[in-house]
Amino acid sequence: MLLEPEAKLICVEYGIPVTKFKVAADEEEAVKLAGEIGYPVVLKIVSPEIIHKSDAGGVMVNLQNASDVSEAYRKILENVKKYDANAKIIGVLVQEMAPQSTETIVGAIKDPQFGQTMMFGLGGVFVELLKDVSFRIAPITADDAREMITQLKAYPLLKGFRNSPPADIDALVSVLLNTSRLVMENPEIKELDLNPVLVYQKGAKTVDARIILE
Ligand code: ADP
Ligand code: MG
């Protein structure tokens, strides 16, 4: 499994927008990097043993200043040690806090029969409870990507509904196309998860990325 900073570096290579990030080795460095990135920031554990970071208490969002960062740094290490005493800790990821917005999921999985296959859905209950997701065999075209979005039952939410403004569908199409290219050019990828990708009225941003290799 590639760690979040490794997976995000690959995303950047493929033109997939991600939150600004840096890895800190200690508390003091975390504060320094937070200042460089700009507040508010998010801190996350970086450990090969921790796959679901928030389950381990390894994600702290909306940190407003240096003392928030120091406190969150200590709390994350404490939580993770309690969760898995043997987890190897590489460091703590300091990243830009993305403004809240609609959460989407972009995924790819290498199917034994169909090869690299793309998935798209809206985050949270839409995927987990309602299974409102779309699939296409990669490589996909721009038309395929657009269909993956518009075929969702939840599409009206993206198009703009009551007080939720319309989301930037073109930005999502571009993330899907670039992800398709990424997995086609790197067949050793068994699974890729951009979860969530926040989508705005203008643009989109990946706040978490995971890549599993064969
Ligand atoms: P994991 O999926 O491993 O538990 P995430 O990195 O996805 O960890 O973080 C959990 C949740 O925290 C995300 O689904 C998102 O809602 C929020 N989050 C994480 N990073 C950011 C960020 N940089 N900006 C805003 N929200 C974030
Ligand atoms: Mg996640």
Side-chain angles (χ1 to χ4, degrees):
M1 187 186 85
L2 300 185
L3 299 163
E4 180 176 338
E6 297 167 334
K8 279 186 169 168
L9 270 180
I10 298 173
C11 288
V12 171
E13 288 294 316
Y14 279 87
I16 299 165
V18 304
T19 43
K20 277 185 241 157
F21 67 94
K22 294 176 182 202
V23 180
D26 58 39
E27 187 183 322
E28 196 188 336
E29 194 182 12
V31 171
K32 187 180 128 249
L33 297 179
E36 287 170 19
I37 288 170
Y39 289 98
V41 296
V42 175
L43 255 54
K44 299 187 201 180
I45 194 68
V46 183
S47 164
E49 278 78 35
I50 309 291
I51 297 178
H52 298 289
K53 298 173 293 285
S54 35
D55 290 355
V59 179
M60 301 259 158
V61 301
N62 206 17
L63 310 171
Q64 298 288 346
N65 51 47
S67 77
D68 282 0
V69 169
S70 287
E71 204 178 310
Y73 188 97
R74 274 176 265 152
K75 188 81 192 138
I76 285 176
L77 290 197
E78 187 189 311
N79 290 346
V80 169
K81 276 180 196 144
K82 244 184 256 164
Y83 184 81
D84 179 355
N86 297 317
K88 182 170 174 244
I89 291 160
I90 309 282
V92 168
L93 189 60
V94 184
Q95 65 183 246
E96 155 197 7
M97 168 98 190
Q100 280 206 345
S101 196
T102 307
E103 297 198 350
T104 69
I105 299 178
V106 172
I109 188 152
K110 194 170 178 180
D111 182 87
Q113 278 188 42
F114 300 115
Q116 299 288 14
T117 307
M118 304 290 303
M119 192 213 85
F120 179 73
L122 294 200
V125 290
F126 293 100
V127 168
E128 283 156 35
L129 198 66
L130 304 172
K131 315 284 179 212
D132 184 20
V133 289
S134 53
F135 291 95
R136 287 292 182 287
I137 296 170
I140 55 168
T141 65
D143 283 343
D144 293 330
R146 210 165 286 279
E147 276 172 24
M148 287 180 77
I149 299 164
T150 55
Q151 81 172 73
L152 293 183
K153 286 194 218 77
Y155 173 62
L157 278 179
L158 288 174
K159 217 172 59 177
F161 181 71
R162 297 217 174 127
N163 38 20
S164 70
D168 189 342
I169 305 294
D170 289 344
L172 290 175
V173 167
S174 154
V175 172
L176 282 164
L177 284 175
N178 287 328
T179 304
S180 166
R181 201 161 51 83
L182 192 166
V183 295
M184 290 309 291
E185 287 179 10
N186 299 279
E188 66 276 31
I189 293 177
K190 197 172 90 174
E191 218 177 299
L192 171 151
D193 258 303
L194 309 181
N195 181 8
V197 177
L198 298 180
V199 59
Y200 299 99
Q201 275 179 276
K202 195 157 177 11
K205 208 159 242 189
T206 303
V207 309
D208 183 24
R210 180 165 62 234
I211 291 178
I212 299 171
L213 301 176
E214 253 166 2

